Amino acid sequence: MSADTVVALLVFLFPLAYSPGPGNTFFAALGAARGPRAAVPALVGYHVATFLVTLLIGLGLGATFPEHPVLTTVLSAAGSVYVVWLAFGFLRTARDTADRDTPSTPDGRPGIGFRAGAVVLLLNPKAYSIIAVMFGQALRPAENGDALPILLVTLVFTANNLVAFLVWTFGGRTLTALFRSPRSRRLIDRLFAGTLVGVAIWMALPLLD
């Protein structure tokens, strides 16, 4: 795979990675409510899953989805329910903070770690579709069965996503740096709980097709 192909791939991925979507919205919410350090396990989980899923799709797993559309329906439903459950974690945080005289600390908040990050990716069928399209754009037909170009595309895709999500995570944290009072923190937790519900609705859109 040439350098020109890598540059073209990054140009193709830029709007997908940096524009608002389920993954970066999730990490902006997590960074805002709990801070970048607390978001690290979820970031690792999400991108380990991203790497494995992307590699498998590049090696041919993606062909099973058009043949079995029920998989998309099941993943959309399960992903939406899971993200709503995460949203309730933010609401529980807001409630617990309201019951105390001091702000809630990250250690006292419901855990959103490696597994949660991985599941957000695994239960997002739109990510699978984007990855399949990406391979169609990035690889020439002669390279489709070659493991090395597939691995390189997988690494570029995963690294690009990681950088984008770090930007969104720190962006969320920057927002909360201006609001340190317990009341403000409760409002922020509620705001991002609502944001995650919006992400769940976005993930459920294939159910309406």
Side-chain angles (χ1 to χ4, degrees):
M1 189 170 65
S2 67
D4 289 344
T5 301
V6 173
V7 172
L9 177 59
L10 290 173
V11 171
F12 170 77
L13 293 175
F14 184 86
L16 298 174
Y18 289 88
S19 60
N24 42 31
T25 303
F26 169 75
F27 283 108
L30 189 55
R34 297 178 179 148
R37 183 178 297 180
V40 167
L43 280 164
V44 173
Y46 188 99
H47 289 91
V48 168
T50 296
F51 178 85
L52 294 175
V53 167
T54 305
L55 186 61
L56 289 173
I57 290 176
L59 293 173
L61 178 66
T64 64
F65 283 87
E67 298 170 2
H68 302 87
V70 69
L71 290 175
T72 297
T73 300
V74 171
L75 285 173
S76 296
S80 299
V81 170
Y82 185 73
V83 173
V84 169
W85 180 81
L86 292 176
F88 275 102
F90 284 89
L91 290 176
R92 287 196 301 271
T93 297
R95 181 196 63 197
D96 293 343
T97 303
D99 292 339
R100 292 192 291 269
D101 294 330
T102 58
S104 176
T105 63
D107 292 339
R109 296 179 174 199
I112 297 180
F114 181 96
R115 182 174 61 183
V119 171
V120 168
L121 182 280
L122 293 173
L123 295 182
N124 182 8
K126 290 185 179 293
Y128 293 42
S129 299
I130 290 171
I131 292 168
V133 171
M134 174 190 68
F135 277 110
Q137 295 289 326
L139 298 182
R140 298 188 301 271
E143 296 176 317
N144 286 336
D146 192 338
L148 182 57
I150 291 171
L151 178 60
L152 290 175
V153 170
T154 298
L155 289 170
V156 170
F157 179 72
T158 304
N160 183 71
N161 261 14
L162 177 58
V163 172
F165 288 4
L166 284 171
V167 169
W168 278 81
T169 301
F170 279 96
R173 187 55 175 175
T174 300
L175 175 66
T176 59
L178 303 174
F179 304 97
R180 298 182 179 275
S181 71
R183 182 174 181 274
S184 296
R185 299 298 289 257
R186 291 195 300 271
L187 290 175
I188 288 170
D189 282 329
R190 289 167 182 162
L191 170 64
F192 283 109
T195 301
L196 287 178
V197 171
V199 169
I201 292 171
W202 189 92
M203 293 176 71
L205 290 178
L207 300 175
L208 304 178
D209 293 341

